[in-house]
Amino acid sequence: MTEKKKVITTPKEMYDKVAIDYRNNSVELSGTYFSFDVSMPKIDILTVYQELQHDINGDEVDFPQEDHSLLETYTGDCESYLMSLNDKPEYTRYNDDEKCDFVL
C-alpha cells in the first residue's frame, strides 16, 4: 500500500511546516523548504511566503495583491509554483534593500 502524501491546505499549516523544518535545519531559507503539496488560494501561499521571508530572513517580499487571479486555488508542488514567479517583475524580494531572486 502506498502512503498518501499530506497536502497543506491552510496558511497556518504551511507556515508551521516551513518554520519547524527551518528551525530543525537552520540553513538558508530556500525553495526546498517549500517542496510539499498544497491546495490553497495563491494569495495565501504568497502571503505565508512573505511572512516567512520577513520573520526568518528579514527580507521584504512584494507581489501584486490586487491581482484577482491570485484568488484562484493552486494545487500542486508549492516550490514549483513559487519558482515560476522568479522572472516576473511584479514579484520581488529584497534583502538589505538589494533586489534578489523571488525564490532561491
Side-chain angles (χ1 to χ4, degrees):
M1 182 179 347
T2 58
E3 185 178 324
K4 190 173 182 178
K5 288 173 69 174
K6 171 137 176 66
V7 176
I8 303 294
T9 58
T10 69
K12 181 174 178 3
E13 284 180 305
M14 182 178 162
Y15 187 97
D16 289 349
K17 176 173 182 18
V18 174
I20 289 167
D21 288 350
Y22 175 79
R23 277 189 232 116
N24 288 336
N25 293 308
S26 297
V27 296
E28 185 175 12
L29 184 65
S30 66
T32 57
Y33 281 102
F34 297 89
S35 184
F36 49 80
D37 289 335
V38 294
S39 184
M40 294 171 45
K42 294 174 182 176
I43 188 83
D44 289 348
I45 294 168
L46 291 167
T47 300
V48 172
Y49 178 71
Q50 181 181 53
E51 291 171 1
L52 285 161
Q53 281 291 353
H54 180 266
D55 294 351
I56 293 173
N57 289 336
D59 291 0
E60 295 300 321
V61 171
D62 293 321
F63 58 92
Q65 296 184 20
E66 300 80 26
D67 183 348
H68 292 299
S69 71
L70 295 181
L71 299 176
E72 298 169 2
T73 296
Y74 173 82
T75 300
D77 181 65
C78 188
E79 179 183 16
S80 295
Y81 172 64
L82 291 171
M83 295 290 282
S84 75
L85 304 173
N86 267 345
D87 294 326
K88 296 187 176 184
E90 64 272 19
Y91 292 82
T92 57
R93 182 170 61 92
Y94 295 91
N95 181 320
D96 296 326
D97 294 327
E98 183 178 324
K99 187 174 178 178
C100 44
D101 287 335
F102 192 68
V103 179
L104 295 176

